[in-house]
């Protein structure tokens, strides 16, 4: 895809200008950094990780089943299951990083990628858009300074037709996508520090973070923000529980399944720009998100996406601690 | 703090050296503080840009032992940290304002053609902010990193932790949506003075 600035880009840059730091801004920042540098030997601090409470899967499933069956009649099975998970998740001691260990999370994701025809560098292609499924494995290591190392291994994509595959490789999109590479960075910070755990405050914070004018139903927008909070292992048990309870209050949730490990699968149907979709997610008994998928029910003739295709699909392994910072793949 | 700002050593080499000699990290500060400040000011305004830029280098120093030393230029990495720092600030400070682009043009002389230009620019900025707010965060961040900071797709991929091809599709989608929402963008841009001339940061 050509990296060429268009008129919108130039207008944005013109409007934003190039503000420069004042001398006092620079001196203050430099002083703070030098103080940190000089104090580095004293920075490292130890944390004592409390042991995990050993829950047995059988007991949890039994508890979930009882709650689902006996919860008051006005509560949906999905809401009952989520609230019970919230109660359990609140009592689980959190995984915590130490000076020697990291909280490790691994996920596998596929997501639809779209390349406009003009982005194919002149490679002959009949349709307006080339759509493909990108695949990646993402690993994160949460350290004890609230920092995260993230590695993304970009796997070979899959295609809806041979023509799509030929155009993709002929245009060198695999190189742009860095297929076959593992990209490691440390730019992602956990953000649970900024989320309140008081239900009313958290509800307000989630609503403030929602996008409300792109045509998605409110419960879906709410859910997207809430799932961001519980997506990986960074949220505290209190925050995880509070978030799940708010999710349980949403309208339109359907309980699809509770598997033998106590993982509950919930779905919600909605429509986005005339395309019917289903968002499905699974929560384990510690309140961790383990599966999330958006399926497009209808065929999308604009982008030539077959009916029933997953717009995005992710699975997460159970988070654990590790001393190994090398990618597991 | 940094006498080697213009030396031949890459950022990666300097960051590696700073693991044993922490004061070396001052060179990274000297090289990139202004760019990080400009980036922050464009996104959240000059009122908080100083604090954000300072916080970015404090975080970067703590994170330096995990820097990917195959990347000679640390700016995308610093922008990535800034991205998250700004995100925290936006959530806690500007949650309700939903401002994504700050107007900084120095065209304030009253009663002049430039003053008219400023009014147009402010109106355009308001409209663009409204449309930027309707984009997904990923699309918006990709567009602004490309348009404002001049990062390559590959560098944006590093900053946001996404494949390069996805960067292109995000930018393309963002442009298309804004173009559809503001169909008179071409005319607006034409009313601005020299819209095709861009000053480098």
């Amino acid at each position: 895809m050509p990296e060429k600035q268009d008129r919108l880009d130039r207008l944005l840059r013109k409007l934003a200008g190039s503000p420069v730091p004042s001398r006092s801004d620079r001196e203050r920042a430099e002083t703070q950094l030098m103080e940190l540098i000089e104090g580095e030997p004293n920075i490292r601090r130890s944390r004592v990780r409390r042991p995990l409470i050993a829950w047995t899967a059988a007991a949890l499933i039994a508890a979930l089943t009882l709650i689902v069956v006996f919860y008051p009649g006005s509560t949906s099975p999905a809401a009952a299951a989520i609230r019970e998970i919230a109660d359990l998740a609140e009592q689980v001691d959190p995984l915590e990083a130490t000076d020697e260990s990291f909280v490790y999370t691994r996920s596998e994701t596929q997501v639809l990628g779209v390349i406009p025809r003009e982005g194919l560098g002149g490679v002959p292609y009949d349709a307006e858009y080339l759509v493909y499924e990108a695949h990646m494995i993402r690993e994160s290591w949460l350290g004890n300074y609230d920092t995260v190392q993230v590695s993304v291994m970009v796997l070979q994509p899959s295609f809806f037709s041979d023509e799509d595959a030929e155009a993709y490789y002929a245009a060198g999109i695999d190189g742009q996508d860095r297929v076959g590479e593992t990209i490691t960075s440390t730019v992602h910070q956990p953000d649970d520090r900024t989320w309140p755990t008081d239900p009313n405050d958290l509800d307000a914070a989630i609503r403030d973070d929602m996008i409300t004018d792109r045509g998605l139903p409110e419960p879906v927008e709410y859910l997207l923000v809430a799932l961001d909070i519980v997506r990986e292992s960074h949220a505290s048990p209190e925050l995880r529980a509070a978030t799940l309870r708010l999710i349980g209050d949403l309208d339109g949730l359907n309980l699809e399944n509770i598997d033998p490990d106590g993982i509950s699968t919930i779905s919600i149907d909605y429509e986005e720009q005339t395309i019917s979709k289903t968002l499905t997610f699974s929560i384990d008994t510690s309140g961790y998100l383990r599966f999330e998928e958006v399926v497009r029910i209808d065929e999308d003739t604009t982008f030539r996406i077959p009916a029933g295709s997953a717009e995005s699909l992710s699975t997460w392994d159970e988070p654990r601690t590790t001393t190994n910072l090398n990618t597991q793949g | 703090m940094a006498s080697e700002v213009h030396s031949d050593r890459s950022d990666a080499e300097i960051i590696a050296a700073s693991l044993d000699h922490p004061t070396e990290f001052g060179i990274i500060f000297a090289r990139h503080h202004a760019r990080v400040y400009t980036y922050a000011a464009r996104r959240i305004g000059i009122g908080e840009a100083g604090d954000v830029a300072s916080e970015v280098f404090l975080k970067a120093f703590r994170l330096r032992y995990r820097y990917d030393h195959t990347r000679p230029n640390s700016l995308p990495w610093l922008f990535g940290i800034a991205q998250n720092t700004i995100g925290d600030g936006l959530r806690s400070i500007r949650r309700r304002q939903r401002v994504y682009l700050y107007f900084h043009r120095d065209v304030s002389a009253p009663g002049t053609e430039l003053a008219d230009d400023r009014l147009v620019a402010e109106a355009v900025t308001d409209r663009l902010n409204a449309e930027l707010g309707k984009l997904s965060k990923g699309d918006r961040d990709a567009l602004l990193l490309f348009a404002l900071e001049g990062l390559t797709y590959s560098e944006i991929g590093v900053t946001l932790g996404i494949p390069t091809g996805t960067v292109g599709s995000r930018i393309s989608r963002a442009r298309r949506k804004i173009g559809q929402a503001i169909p008179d963008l071409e005319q607006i841009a034409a009313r601005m003075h020299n819209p095709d001339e861009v000053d480098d940061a």
Side-chain angles (χ1 to χ4, degrees), chain A residues 1-2 4-5 9 14 16-17 19 30 32 34 40 102 114 147 176-178 186-187 208 210, chain B residues 1 38 42 54 63-64 66 71 77 84 91 95 98 104-105 146 153 164-165 168-169 175 186 196:
Chain A
M1 193 172 297
K4 185 180 175 185
Q5 291 226 329
D9 301 330
K14 194 83 175 179
E30 190 169 358
Q32 290 174 342
M34 288 309 295
E40 186 185 43
F102 305 87
V114 179
T147 61
Q176 294 180 19
D177 280 351
R178 304 180 69 173
T186 53
V187 299
D208 276 347
M210 288 166 49
Chain B
M1 185 177 208
T38 299
R42 284 167 168 166
S54 177
L63 290 165
R64 73 192 190 286
R66 296 182 191 169
R71 303 196 174 281
W77 175 65
N84 287 291
R91 277 193 293 274
R95 191 185 297 280
R98 294 286 188 183
H104 289 294
R105 287 194 75 200
F146 183 74
Y153 286 10
T164 306
S169 57
R175 286 173 177 161
E186 293 286 315
D196 290 335

Side-chain angles (χ1 to χ4, degrees), chain A residues 29-297:
Chain A
E30 190 169 358
T31 300
Q32 290 174 342
L33 179 60
M34 288 309 295
E35 287 174 356
L36 180 65
I37 289 173
E38 288 164 5
E40 186 185 43
N42 300 319
I43 291 174
R44 296 178 74 82
R45 56 195 164 86
S46 298
R47 285 186 185 176
V48 178
R49 188 174 77 79
R50 288 169 286 170
L52 281 174
I53 295 175
W55 297 96
T56 67
L60 294 174
I61 296 164
L64 278 171
T65 307
L66 283 172
I67 291 297
V68 170
V69 172
F70 295 113
Y71 227 88
S74 60
T75 301
S76 73
I82 293 172
R83 288 171 189 164
E84 176 59 11
I85 289 174
D87 291 344
L88 296 170
E90 195 166 35
Q91 300 175 59
V92 174
D93 279 0
L95 293 170
E96 288 195 52
T98 68
D99 278 356
E100 291 81 30
S101 66
F102 305 87
V103 178
Y104 172 75
T105 307
R106 180 184 180 279
S107 63
E108 295 187 24
T109 293
Q110 75 174 53
V111 63
L112 289 179
V114 179
I115 306 287
R117 182 169 52 205
E118 60 266 28
L120 296 175
V123 170
Y125 188 70
D126 291 336
E128 191 176 356
Y129 298 100
L130 191 164
V131 180
Y132 63 101
E133 289 180 347
H135 299 270
M136 63 197 80
I137 294 174
R138 183 177 186 277
E139 296 168 277
S140 70
W141 293 259
L142 171 66
N144 67 346
Y145 303 130
D146 291 336
T147 61
V148 183
Q149 171 178 293
V150 175
S151 279
V152 178
M153 181 184 299
V154 186
L155 308 176
Q156 289 293 332
S158 52
F159 301 92
F160 294 110
S161 72
D162 291 342
E163 179 199 11
D164 291 348
E166 289 168 10
Y168 176 90
Y169 289 111
I173 306 298
D174 55 331
Q176 294 180 19
D177 280 351
R178 304 180 69 173
V179 171
E181 293 185 41
T182 298
I183 305 158
T184 302
S185 61
T186 53
V187 299
H188 298 262
Q189 308 289 317
D191 63 5
D192 52 302
R193 290 168 298 178
T194 63
W195 295 99
T197 53
D198 173 82
N200 293 329
D201 292 344
L202 179 58
D203 177 65
I206 290 173
R207 291 183 186 283
D208 276 347
D209 229 50
M210 288 166 49
I211 297 172
T212 56
D213 49 8
R214 59 177 171 181
L216 286 181
E218 182 181 304
V220 175
E221 291 284 16
Y222 193 101
L223 190 57
L224 292 175
V225 178
L227 290 178
D228 273 344
I229 299 174
V230 297
R231 178 164 283 109
E232 287 191 353
S233 53
H234 312 316
S236 67
E238 294 78 14
L239 175 58
R240 197 174 295 278
T243 305
L244 290 171
R245 291 190 181 104
L246 292 173
I247 290 175
D249 289 340
L250 294 174
D251 292 330
L253 299 180
N254 307 303
L255 178 62
E256 300 290 342
N257 181 44
I258 300 176
D259 80 2
D261 292 325
I263 298 174
S264 296
T265 299
I266 316 288
S267 69
I268 185 168
D269 301 321
Y270 62 101
E271 200 168 89
E272 180 177 10
Q273 295 177 347
T274 74
I275 303 288
S276 296
K277 299 183 179 182
T278 299
L279 168 61
T280 304
F281 59 97
S282 301
I283 308 280
D284 70 16
T285 50
S286 295
Y288 292 123
L289 188 66
R290 300 291 295 278
F291 174 79
E292 184 179 2
E293 180 183 34
V294 174
V295 169
R296 305 165 71 98
I297 305 300

